[in-house]
């Protein structure tokens, strides 16, 4: 959703109203605090924040001058208070969210919970569910996630517009249900005892333990939800249960399980790319009039350019294999007459863009299409913890965690593919232009075309993401001054993907129109044929003329990440309130990627007696869910197709045919640290808490990957992979300091500084090079990439002016010394470095230009920003109004990175994934029986790629968004609660654009509102 002037005005009005209200509230809160009563709210001792986050009931709160009785606060308010206590007693900048009650996290998704934390912005995945987070402008790849103290990575597969198959270090929160966790914390500043790898933040997820629970020996709780989406219109189940049993005072067992099914329908308009008409145009051959000039489309009959009669394609044009396409003075190709108008063609050729070429100032969507994505998701997760506490000085636990996220996604699309194909595939140069209009920036307003090839695409993907972890934790205090603690564990993340893509074509259709005049984000498209009639489409091998008759591809992939960690720490209180902490850690991360593909992507003729009508269905609901702009269309049924063509008998290959992926990364980390912790409360007239230390880490890297080369004579396939191996190492010294000064008992100033680093993604480190012949691109990775390193500073002021209340402001600065960019250049295929044998069987020439992308280290730049956070229960109001409360935060970030657009051109722009402004606000009401709250989250637009990967476009962006969610609960009894939830109340969309100036629509998706009703029991 765009933040238009109306939205901005509403935000400004809301702000102008809130400021005086908050000011009055703060004064009232301060006045109602009892004289002589501190507002520490029973906070734990410094350094015990991890333990403080675990309880699900907040400590008693003092009342106005009255005797302090045991008032137990539960639910959402208790969750806020526990998190605030933990934050207050940390020396570093850490924000937490804890469970409202046993087995009851505040939100249905962990990433969505974190939106309430200042500086945290959410990226949403399929169905609008939270997938990744960015912290203070730094994206998911810069955020490390630890589960029960161990770093973990979870992986998913998504559509190409959402990143495709994961190959990085980012954590996909969608794979985990909230019910198996009791607390999370976002560590924005680092200390020496926290392992390296985070440039933005370290997120700690913590599963509950038996001795975290209340004093009952047996705890049993469960929740049953029914979830309904107003697009899919289907009720789905979500179930969870937790049981905890203590055996005496020394041993306990806790188990939790969560299961859910979800059906998602999502509708979208996608352009795939937006490019100038010159990209897929045809240059006039040497020796002819206007030689070398690129003519984007088929010229009209008798067309004159620069005063010279010109015909493109020239009469008698042949493909590289010598086959004529049927071009003559009256026909673009056989049975495809020249119907364009000279006025429309002159209009295009009169506009030169940044490339200076005639026609280069007209930008068209490459594959304009409606998209329907249907998903069936199944998520199963659980935890099991054994905890032994023989004495108060010893705590030993064995934690196990398992999660399986299983998805079947069916995407259907209907393309006008002529705008994204060159003459080698009988694409754009064989299309006639009857009418066209663009705006002042060259973006298409509307157009009418003939000779357009249409394609119905189906992508059937089944993937399973599995995560397993076991870790042994121990903590023993040998004396009042000496303690040893550590962990040993292993986790594994496995992603299995099976993706089938099948397309059917209807070529040279007339009367195709695309019109953005009614809706700038979703065009009205008419096709000139009945798009639901399978008899109008073809499937089979391409014709010698270059006419395509469908497409086939299938890959089967497995990504596996295995991490092993051993950590030992010692803590010695050398003097009162002065502690020396030393420790070491040994970790290994192993990433492997294996992918097999069909040996041939050439469609075969359908078996005798099999028609497309017997293999297809109609994708419906397109017009209804996309503002009536687009149409329903015929699509391949994946199960019927597999059976009819005998797909299981097709040959798959990998190394021997240079297809798919075969690579891996093995990293070994050896690290040690020395840190001093101190507190001057009993030494100096002021209280200064802090830690200072240094961490040393040595990283050993072994990586291998595939390089395409020509096969030896007599081989089955023209090309093959050879495996390239690279070994290297590097080291880092990472000093850090965190200071917290109690200016008054309720006013805390914090200062932090550290040197940090973040490693490249696994996919970037695998030495590999490959080409996509369909869209004429090539990509190369770089195993010699260095980490991204930065020096950071953080300062904040926090005022805990009343119980459960906070106002804070923070400033942060990061000097990012190095960065990693994917640079893009256009290079003839013969100069890329890949064998010419890859072009065998295609209509491509060695001189055809390919867009080549490579990963490189480049200079970084500064990042700076500030954030404001308010937490305010309305105790100062009379009666039931005192049960209200509010949370609000606002973050503003700025950064400058010099992006390399081309060998001669750079652009200064913000970091990819950085939203300059983010904000969140929650208003809640809670009493003994009833609780309700609503949250509004705003994220301004942010860049998703620089350069964009598109020709003559500087970047791609995700538009700004405002999401509104709400939930309510009612306690029927002490043991039974009813819950109602609704997300995306305003039916917000996800919208992507390309190019900063033009802001052409790239992708606009609707995923609807989601409602849930639940019952929770607890004994």
């Amino acid at each position: 959703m765009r933040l238009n002037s109306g939205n901005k005005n509403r935000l400004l009005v809301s702000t102008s109203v809130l400021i005086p209200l908050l000011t009055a509230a703060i004064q009232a809160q301060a006045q109602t605090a009892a004289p002589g009563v501190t507002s520490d709210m029973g906070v734990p001792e410094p350094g015990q924040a991890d333990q403080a986050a675990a309880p699900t009931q907040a400590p008693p709160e003092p009342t106005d001058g009255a005797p302090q009785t045991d008032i137990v606060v539960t639910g959402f308010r208790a969750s806020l208070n526990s998190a605030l206590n933990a934050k207050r007693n940390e020396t570093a900048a850490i924000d937490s969210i804890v469970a409202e009650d046993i087995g009851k996290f505040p939100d249905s998704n962990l990433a969505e919970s974190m939106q309430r934390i200042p500086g945290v912005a959410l990226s949403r995945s399929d169905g609008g569910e939270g997938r990744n987070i960015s912290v203070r402008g730094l994206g998911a790849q810069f955020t490390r996630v630890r589960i029960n103290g161990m770093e973990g990575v979870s992986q998913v597969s998504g559509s190409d517009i959402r990143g495709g198959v994961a190959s990085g270090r980012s954590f996909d929160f969608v794979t985990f249900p909230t019910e198996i966790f009791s607390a999370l914390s976002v560590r924005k500043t680092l200390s020496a005892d926290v392992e390296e790898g985070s440039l933005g933040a370290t997120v700690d997820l913590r599963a509950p333990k038996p001795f975290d629970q209340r004093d009952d020996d047996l705890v049993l709780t469960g929740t049953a939800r029914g979830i309904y989406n107003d697009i899919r219109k289907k009720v789905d189940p979500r179930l969870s249960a937790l049981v905890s049993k203590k055996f005496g005072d020394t041993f306990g067992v806790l188990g939790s399980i969560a299961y859910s099914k979800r059906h998602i329908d999502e509708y979208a308009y996608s352009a795939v790319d937006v490019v100038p008409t010159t990209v897929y145009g045809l240059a006039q051959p040497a020796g002819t009039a206007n030689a070398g000039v690129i003519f984007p489309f088929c010229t009209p009959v008798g067309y004159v350019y620069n005063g010279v009669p010109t015909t493109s394609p020239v009469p008698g044009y042949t493909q590289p294999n010598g086959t004529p396409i049927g071009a003559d003075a009256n026909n673009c190709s056989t049975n495809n007459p020249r119907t364009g108008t000279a006025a429309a063609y002159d209009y295009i050729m009169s506009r030169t863009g940044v490339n200076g070429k005639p026609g280069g100032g007209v930008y068209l969507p490459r594959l304009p299409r409606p998209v329907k994505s249907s998903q069936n998701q199944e998520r199963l997760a659980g935890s099991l913890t054994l905890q032994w506490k023989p004495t108060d000085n010893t705590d030993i636990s064995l934690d196990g965690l398992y999660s399986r996220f299983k998805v079947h996604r069916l995407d259907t699309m209907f393309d006008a593919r002529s705008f994204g194909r060159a003459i080698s595939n009988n694409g754009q140069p064989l299309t006639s232009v009857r009418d066209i209009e663009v705006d002042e920036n060259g973006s298409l307003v509307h157009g009418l075309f003939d000779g357009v090839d249409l394609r119905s695409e189906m992508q059937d993907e089944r993937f399973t993401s599995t995560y397993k972890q076991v870790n042994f934790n121990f903590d023993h205090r040998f004396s009042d001054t000496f303690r040893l603690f550590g962990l040993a564990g292993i986790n594994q993340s496995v992603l299995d993907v099976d993706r089938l893509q099948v397309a059917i074509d209807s070529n040279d259709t007339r009367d195709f129109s695309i019109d953005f005049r009614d809706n700038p984000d979703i065009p009205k498209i008419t096709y000139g044929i009945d798009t639901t009639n399978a008899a109008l489409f073809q499937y089979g091998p391409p014709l010698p003329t270059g006419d395509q008759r469908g497409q086939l591809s299938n890959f089967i992939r497995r990504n596996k990440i295995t991490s092993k960690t051993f950590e030992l720490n010692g803590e010695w209180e050398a003097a009162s309130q002065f502690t020396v902490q030393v420790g070491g850690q040994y970790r290994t991360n192993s990433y492997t990627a294996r992918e097999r593909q069909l040996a041939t992507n050439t469609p075969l003729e359908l078996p005798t007696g099999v028609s497309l009508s017997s293999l297809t269905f109609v994708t419906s609901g397109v017009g209804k869910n996309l503002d009536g702009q687009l149409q329903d269309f015929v699509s391949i049924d994946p199960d019927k197709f597999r059976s009819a063509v005998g797909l299981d008998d097709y040959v798959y290959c990998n190394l021997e045919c240079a297809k798919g992926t075969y690579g891996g990364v093995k990293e070994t980390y050896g690290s040690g640290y020395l840190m001093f912790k101190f507190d001057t409360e009993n030494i100096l007239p002021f209280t200064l808490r802090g830690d200072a230390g240094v961490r040393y880490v040595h990283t050993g890297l072994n990586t291998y990957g595939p390089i395409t080369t020509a096969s030896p004579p007599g081989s089955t396939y023209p090309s093959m992979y050879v495996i390239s191996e690279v070994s290297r190492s590097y080291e880092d010294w990472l000093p850090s300091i965190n200071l917290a000064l109690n200016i008054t008992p309720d006013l805390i100033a914090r200062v932090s500084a550290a040197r940090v680093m973040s490693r490249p993604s696994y996919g970037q480190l695998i030495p590999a090079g490959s080409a996509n012949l369909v869209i004429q691109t090539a990509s190369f990775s770089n195993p010699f990439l260095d980490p991204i390193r930065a020096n950071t500073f953080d300062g904040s002021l926090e005022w805990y002016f009343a119980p459960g209340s906070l106002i804070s402001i923070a400033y942060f600065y990061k000097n990012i010394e190095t960065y990693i960019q994917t640079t893009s250049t256009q290079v003839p295929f013969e100069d890329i470095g890949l064998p010419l044998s890859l072009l065998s069987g295609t209509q491509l020439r060695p001189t055809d230009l390919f867009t080549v992308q490579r990963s490189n280290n480049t200079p970084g730049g500064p990042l700076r920003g500030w954030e404001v956070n308010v937490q305010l229960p309305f105790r100062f109001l009379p009666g039931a109004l005192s049960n209200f409360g509010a949370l609000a935060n606002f973050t503003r970030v700025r950064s400058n990175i010099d992006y390399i657009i081309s060998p001669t051109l750079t652009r200064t722009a913000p970091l990819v994934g950085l939203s300059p402004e983010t904000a969140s606000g929650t208003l809640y009401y809670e009493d003994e029986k009833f609780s309700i709250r609503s949250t509004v989250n705003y994220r301004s637009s942010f860049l998703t790629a620089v350069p964009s990967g598109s020709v003559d476009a500087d970047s791609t962006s995700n538009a700004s968004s405002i999401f509104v969610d709400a939930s309510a609960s009612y306690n029927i009894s002490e043991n039974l609660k009813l819950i109602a939830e609704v997300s995306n109340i305003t039916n917000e969309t996800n919208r992507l654009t390309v190019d900063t100036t033009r802001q052409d629509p790239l992708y606009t998706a609707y995923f609807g509102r989601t409602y849930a009703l639940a019952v929770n029991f607890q004994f």
Side-chain angles (χ1 to χ4, degrees):
M1 181 177 97
R2 290 178 175 169
L3 185 61
N4 56 33
S5 59
N7 288 331
K8 289 180 179 178
N9 290 337
R10 285 194 291 272
L11 287 175
L12 289 172
V13 170
S14 300
T15 303
S16 64
V17 173
L18 279 174
I19 289 175
L21 284 177
L22 288 174
T23 303
I26 292 165
Q27 294 173 347
Q29 289 275 55
Q31 291 169 0
T32 55
V37 178
T38 63
S39 57
D40 60 8
M41 297 169 285
V43 294
E45 292 297 318
Q48 301 299 315
D50 288 343
Q51 289 81 359
T56 56
Q57 291 184 341
E61 298 183 15
T63 57
D64 300 356
Q68 296 183 22
T69 58
D70 289 338
I71 302 173
V72 179
V73 181
T74 61
F76 184 64
R77 193 188 297 262
S79 170
L80 298 177
N81 290 348
S82 294
L84 199 65
N85 292 344
K87 176 181 179 67
R88 182 173 186 169
N89 286 275
E90 286 285 358
T91 54
I94 299 176
D95 291 287
S96 301
I97 295 176
V98 300
E100 296 182 20
D101 214 328
I102 301 169
K104 173 64 173 70
F105 217 73
D107 301 277
S108 59
N109 179 280
L110 292 167
E112 292 170 1
S113 287
M114 284 185 276
Q115 287 184 110
R116 293 198 302 272
I117 292 177
V120 175
L122 179 64
S123 295
R124 295 178 182 265
S125 65
D126 303 318
E129 190 170 4
R131 177 177 175 180
N132 305 122
I133 63 166
S134 66
V135 181
R136 289 178 167 178
L138 292 166
Q141 69 271 31
F142 301 119
T143 299
R144 297 277 68 80
V145 175
R146 300 190 301 184
I147 301 177
N148 293 335
M150 276 192 65
E151 181 180 345
V153 175
S154 72
Q155 312 169 78
V156 298
S157 177
S159 58
D160 291 340
I161 201 75
R162 288 186 171 135
V165 179
S167 62
R169 301 176 191 266
S170 59
F171 191 92
D172 290 297
F173 290 92
V174 71
T175 62
F176 284 92
T178 61
E179 290 90 344
I180 64 172
F181 295 105
S182 62
L184 67 82
S185 62
V186 179
R187 181 184 294 268
K188 300 175 183 175
T189 63
L190 295 184
S191 50
D193 60 333
V194 178
E195 63 262 40
E196 74 295 332
S198 165
L199 202 67
T202 297
V203 176
D204 280 299
L205 304 179
R206 187 177 184 275
K209 294 178 181 289
F211 285 90
D212 291 344
Q213 311 309 318
R214 54 180 183 254
D215 293 335
D216 298 358
D217 289 337
L218 176 65
V219 175
L220 177 63
T221 181
T223 303
R225 276 183 173 84
I227 300 173
Y228 175 86
N229 180 269
D230 62 4
I231 290 182
R232 185 62 183 255
K233 301 186 185 304
K234 183 179 179 68
V235 177
D236 295 317
R238 178 169 176 165
L239 310 170
S240 64
L242 178 148
V243 60
S244 178
K245 172 66 175 174
K246 296 177 186 175
F247 299 89
D249 296 328
T250 61
F251 185 71
V253 179
L254 184 146
S256 68
I257 188 169
Y259 174 81
S260 65
K261 276 189 174 182
R262 190 181 181 197
H263 296 81
I264 298 171
D265 276 352
E266 183 174 308
Y267 292 87
Y269 161 74
S270 174
V272 179
D273 199 355
V274 179
V275 295
T277 61
T278 51
V279 169
Y280 295 109
L282 178 63
Q284 282 288 94
T288 62
N290 297 308
V293 176
I294 295 175
F295 286 86
F297 297 97
C298 178
T299 54
V301 175
Y303 183 63
V304 176
Y305 183 72
N306 285 338
V308 180
T310 301
T311 302
S312 178
V314 297
Y317 177 90
T318 63
Q319 292 286 21
N321 62 2
T323 302
I325 65 172
D328 57 32
N330 296 309
N331 295 279
C332 308
S333 58
T334 302
N335 297 321
N336 180 21
R338 300 176 186 270
T339 59
T341 65
Y345 216 102
D346 285 339
Y347 180 80
I348 293 171
M349 298 299 285
S350 69
R351 302 185 67 95
T352 56
V354 295
N355 57 31
K357 299 175 183 177
V362 173
Y363 298 88
L364 302 182
R366 188 170 76 83
L367 294 175
R369 62 192 191 184
V371 180
K372 180 181 180 181
S373 179
S374 297
Q375 287 193 36
N376 295 331
Q377 298 180 352
E378 185 180 52
R379 184 165 50 197
L380 174 67
S383 68
L384 178 65
T385 297
L386 309 178
Q387 188 175 13
W388 182 44
K389 297 185 70 171
T391 68
D392 291 339
N393 293 324
T394 303
D395 189 345
I396 297 174
S397 65
L398 183 66
D399 299 304
L401 187 141
Y402 173 84
S403 177
R404 187 194 68 195
F405 184 56
K406 191 174 183 179
V407 175
H408 179 197
R409 187 179 73 231
L410 178 63
D411 294 343
T412 52
M413 300 147 277
F414 198 79
D415 314 337
R417 70 178 186 88
S418 287
F419 302 106
R421 297 290 185 267
I423 188 101
S424 58
N425 286 318
N426 285 358
Q428 185 178 287
L430 303 187
T431 298
S432 296
V433 186
R434 289 162 52 188
D435 189 21
I436 192 169
E437 179 187 357
V438 298
D439 65 16
E440 64 275 10
N441 295 318
S443 300
L444 180 67
V445 176
H446 70 91
L448 178 62
F449 307 88
D450 287 335
V452 176
D453 297 341
L454 304 178
R455 168 168 286 181
S456 173
E457 293 190 56
M458 176 277 296
Q459 179 174 291
D460 181 59
E461 178 173 278
R462 302 162 193 259
F463 76 82
T464 302
S465 177
T466 306
Y467 185 90
K468 305 174 184 177
Q469 177 171 311
V470 176
N471 55 294
F472 174 78
N473 304 272
F474 65 94
D475 188 338
H476 180 69
R477 183 171 292 279
F478 290 88
S479 67
D480 291 340
T481 60
F482 183 65
R483 168 186 172 221
L484 277 180
F485 58 99
L487 66 85
I490 180 172
N491 60 43
Q492 186 176 85
S493 174
V494 178
L495 175 64
D496 289 302
V497 183
D498 186 341
R499 179 185 291 180
L500 169 68
Q501 292 175 288
V502 184
I504 54 178
D505 290 346
S506 181
N507 294 327
D508 297 332
T509 62
R510 333 296 298 172
D511 299 317
F512 173 86
S513 69
I514 179 169
D515 192 339
F516 285 95
R517 285 176 292 191
D518 291 339
N519 188 326
D521 297 325
I522 304 177
K524 182 178 181 63
I525 300 180
T526 58
Y527 298 95
I529 66 168
D530 180 0
T531 56
T532 64
N533 185 358
L536 301 179
F537 292 79
Q538 304 176 70
Y539 178 83
L543 300 178
T545 60
D547 275 350
Q548 301 292 303
R549 297 192 299 155
Q551 183 179 349
L552 171 66
S553 67
N554 192 194
F555 70 75
I556 301 171
R557 178 168 179 150
R558 165 168 281 203
N559 288 358
K560 181 189 291 185
I561 302 173
T562 303
S563 300
K564 301 176 182 178
T565 301
F566 176 77
E567 178 183 312
L568 181 63
N569 307 276
E571 188 179 82
W572 173 48
E573 188 175 357
S576 177
Q577 304 295 317
F578 183 84
T579 301
V580 179
Q581 187 171 317
V582 63
Q585 187 182 73
Y586 178 79
R587 290 186 293 149
T588 62
N589 280 358
S590 173
Y591 170 84
T592 59
R594 301 287 186 270
E595 179 183 296
R596 296 182 296 122
Q597 293 188 5
L598 285 175
T600 176
N601 295 117
T602 302
L604 303 179
E605 295 286 359
L606 290 175
T608 303
V610 176
S611 67
L612 285 180
S613 298
S614 66
L615 302 180
T616 55
F617 69 99
V618 174
T619 294
S620 60
V622 176
K624 176 182 177 182
N625 290 284
L626 291 175
D627 295 341
Q629 299 289 89
L630 302 169
Q631 302 176 23
D632 295 349
F633 52 89
V634 66
S635 302
I636 286 287
D637 183 295
D639 295 328
K640 292 179 180 179
F641 178 85
R642 289 175 186 271
S643 175
V645 305
L647 190 64
D648 292 341
D649 296 328
Y650 279 43
V651 176
Y652 291 79
C653 59
N654 180 222
L655 296 175
E656 67 275 25
C657 65
K659 287 191 173 184
T661 296
Y662 188 98
V665 178
K666 175 69 178 294
E667 291 175 322
T668 302
Y669 319 118
S671 61
Y673 72 92
L674 174 66
M675 184 173 75
F676 302 98
K677 298 189 293 185
F678 54 88
D679 187 336
T680 67
E681 180 180 11
N682 299 322
I683 303 172
L684 299 175
F686 57 88
T687 299
L688 177 66
R689 298 174 287 116
D691 62 70
V694 63
R695 186 178 191 89
Y696 167 81
V697 58
H698 178 275
T699 302
L701 176 68
N702 294 281
T703 181
Y704 62 92
I707 302 295
T708 306
T709 187
S711 298
S715 299
T716 304
Y717 306 102
S719 303
M720 60 177 290
Y721 280 150
V722 293
I723 301 302
S724 173
E725 298 184 13
V726 174
S727 296
R728 56 187 290 247
S729 64
Y730 52 87
E731 60 183 22
D732 288 272
W733 290 90
L734 305 172
S736 62
I737 185 170
N738 295 279
L739 300 175
L741 174 65
N742 288 9
I743 300 174
T744 71
D746 297 326
L747 186 63
I748 300 175
R750 301 183 192 272
V751 175
S752 301
R755 182 167 177 79
V756 297
M757 56 91 81
S758 180
R759 298 181 176 90
S761 70
Y762 295 117
Q764 291 175 316
L765 291 172
I766 292 177
S770 62
N772 186 321
L773 304 183
V774 177
I775 59 175
Q776 295 179 210
T777 62
S779 60
F780 294 84
S781 53
N782 186 353
F784 294 98
L785 289 173
D786 286 327
I788 299 175
R789 298 181 172 97
N791 295 317
T792 69
F793 171 81
D794 187 279
S796 66
L797 193 63
E798 301 167 2
W799 182 26
Y800 300 84
F801 56 90
S805 305
L806 167 69
I807 289 182
S808 68
I809 185 169
Y811 171 81
F812 50 90
Y813 174 83
K814 299 179 188 292
N815 178 25
I816 302 173
E817 297 177 352
T818 59
Y819 194 60
I820 296 174
Q821 294 184 38
T822 299
T823 56
S824 180
T825 56
Q826 286 199 297
V827 180
F829 185 86
E830 60 190 0
D831 297 332
I832 287 177
L834 298 176
L836 296 180
S837 59
L838 286 177
L839 304 184
S840 299
T842 74
Q843 302 293 344
L844 294 169
R845 297 180 174 90
T847 55
D848 287 343
L849 292 177
F850 273 59
T851 301
V852 180
Q853 297 181 331
R854 300 178 188 270
S855 297
N856 297 289
N857 281 111
T858 57
L863 179 150
R864 56 176 60 86
W866 54 272
E867 61 188 29
V868 177
N869 185 28
V870 176
Q871 181 169 318
L872 181 64
F874 293 169
R875 287 188 185 84
F876 55 92
L877 295 177
L881 294 178
S882 64
N883 295 321
F884 280 95
L887 313 172
N889 65 72
F890 175 81
T891 303
R892 180 183 176 93
V893 190
R894 294 293 184 268
S895 71
N896 291 299
I897 298 291
D898 291 328
Y899 291 96
I900 300 173
I901 306 300
S902 70
T904 59
L905 180 65
T906 61
R907 177 197 171 199
T908 301
L911 275 170
V912 168
L914 181 148
S915 290
E917 288 87 27
T918 58
S920 175
T922 299
L923 181 66
Y924 67 89
Y925 173 91
E926 187 170 65
D927 58 28
E928 293 181 356
K929 286 284 188 180
F930 181 67
S931 174
I932 186 170
R933 65 179 180 270
S934 180
T935 299
V936 179
N937 288 288
Y938 168 72
R939 182 176 186 180
S940 63
S941 63
F942 57 94
L943 299 175
T944 58
V946 181
S948 66
S950 304
V951 178
D952 295 345
D954 59 3
S955 61
T956 57
S957 301
N958 203 120
S960 62
S961 61
I962 299 177
F963 281 88
V964 183
D965 306 316
S967 65
S969 64
Y970 180 76
N971 297 324
I972 296 176
S973 68
E974 184 179 352
N975 306 113
L976 193 63
K977 178 189 296 185
L978 294 180
I979 303 169
E981 300 165 333
V982 57
S983 60
N984 194 21
I985 294 173
T986 58
N987 198 23
E988 179 64 288
T989 62
N990 184 30
R991 193 170 66 88
L992 306 179
T993 63
V994 61
D995 194 73
T996 304
T997 301
R998 302 195 315 267
Q999 296 189 35
D1000 289 323
L1002 190 63
Y1003 184 78
T1004 303
Y1006 290 83
F1007 37 80
R1009 303 171 182 86
T1010 301
Y1011 306 86
L1013 288 176
V1015 58
N1016 170 263
F1017 68 87
Q1018 184 171 285
F1019 299 99

